[in-house]
Amino acid sequence: MTERAHMDRARIERGVRLMLEGMGEDPEREGLLETPARVARALEESCAGLHQDPAPLFEKSFDAHCHEMVIVRDIPFYSLCEHHLLPFFGMAHVAYLPGRDGRVCGISKLARVVDVYAKRPQIQEQLTRQVADAIMEGVDALGVLVVMEAEHLCMTMRGVRKPGSKTTTSAVRGAFEHHGATRDEAMSLIMRGSR
């Protein structure tokens, strides 16, 4: 079963129609006539991670005899704030120390795990933790560090209206948590390109 099989497109369309009516709009006017279906399709795509398990991403690993840090920076992500259903978007930076066996995952898997969790309505703090925990478990890592920087449209276009403001969150696991020098090295390498 695909992740999209869990979406009830007809119910989403009815909800969008009700929302438009609640706003005082006419869902029958030409410009809005197909909006409920468009929104349902957009939500299917932007929330596809709701019913995805990231574990299969890490089923294959490579015996690289690697005991050094692996870092992937500047992974773009898009998510929906669960409080307002408005987008937040930015960059994720991921570092991990392979397990004692020296096996590594394909680096694209690090970007894919970010996508799986980003494609869910939630908050950035939770997203950061989920990515770190999935990588820690998935690659049996000695340590994981995840930093996410994002702009939230719920702060940009409503409320305090502060466009350009960024929220930075981090999650630190294992060796990065217990060894300050290792954490500092990872943060230095991650943040070098982010300024």
Side-chain angles (χ1 to χ4, degrees):
M1 183 180 291
T2 68
E3 65 273 2
R4 291 190 179 186
H6 295 281
M7 296 279 181
D8 186 338
R9 192 182 289 183
R11 183 177 282 183
I12 294 170
E13 289 181 27
R14 287 193 305 272
V16 171
R17 186 177 177 84
L18 281 172
M19 183 181 69
L20 290 169
E21 290 170 353
M23 292 166 47
E25 270 287 3
D26 175 10
E28 297 299 321
R29 77 173 170 84
E30 183 181 1
L32 293 176
L33 199 54
E34 295 179 35
T35 296
R38 287 187 192 107
V39 171
R41 288 192 304 271
L43 285 173
E44 270 187 329
E45 182 179 340
S46 62
C47 295
L50 273 170
H51 306 287
Q52 286 182 314
D53 177 3
L57 294 173
F58 300 109
E59 287 176 353
K60 184 171 184 155
S61 63
F62 305 94
D63 188 6
H65 304 290
C66 181
H67 300 286
E68 291 79 28
M69 198 179 307
V70 177
I71 298 175
V72 179
R73 280 191 356 220
D74 300 327
I75 302 166
F77 71 89
Y78 302 87
S79 194
L80 286 177
C81 162
E82 67 184 21
H83 299 150
H84 302 97
L85 294 183
L86 289 173
F88 66 94
F89 57 92
M91 295 289 178
H93 315 287
V94 174
Y96 81 96
L97 286 167
R100 297 194 193 292
D101 61 4
R103 296 187 73 80
V104 298
C105 67
I107 57 174
S108 70
K109 304 308 187 238
L110 302 174
R112 290 181 195 276
V113 77
V114 170
D115 278 347
V116 166
Y117 285 113
K119 289 185 175 188
R120 301 174 181 196
Q122 63 175 309
I123 60 174
Q124 182 177 334
E125 296 88 340
Q126 176 179 301
L127 170 59
T128 308
R129 287 192 315 269
Q130 289 171 329
V131 171
D133 291 340
I135 295 168
M136 188 75 177
E137 184 177 327
V139 300
D140 194 25
L142 292 177
V144 173
L145 189 147
V146 176
V147 176
M148 299 189 118
E149 303 169 298
E151 183 170 347
H152 293 247
L153 291 189
C154 57
M155 275 187 62
T156 296
M157 62 185 284
R158 59 157 301 282
V160 297
R161 292 188 176 96
K162 299 296 179 199
S165 62
K166 296 255 174 32
T167 299
T168 302
T169 51
S170 66
V172 183
R173 304 289 184 266
F176 290 113
E177 195 171 10
H178 305 295
H179 299 98
T182 305
R183 181 180 57 249
D184 292 347
E185 178 187 358
M187 285 300 287
S188 171
L189 291 168
I190 285 172
M191 300 315 288
R192 182 184 324 171
S194 300
R195 302 246 183 255

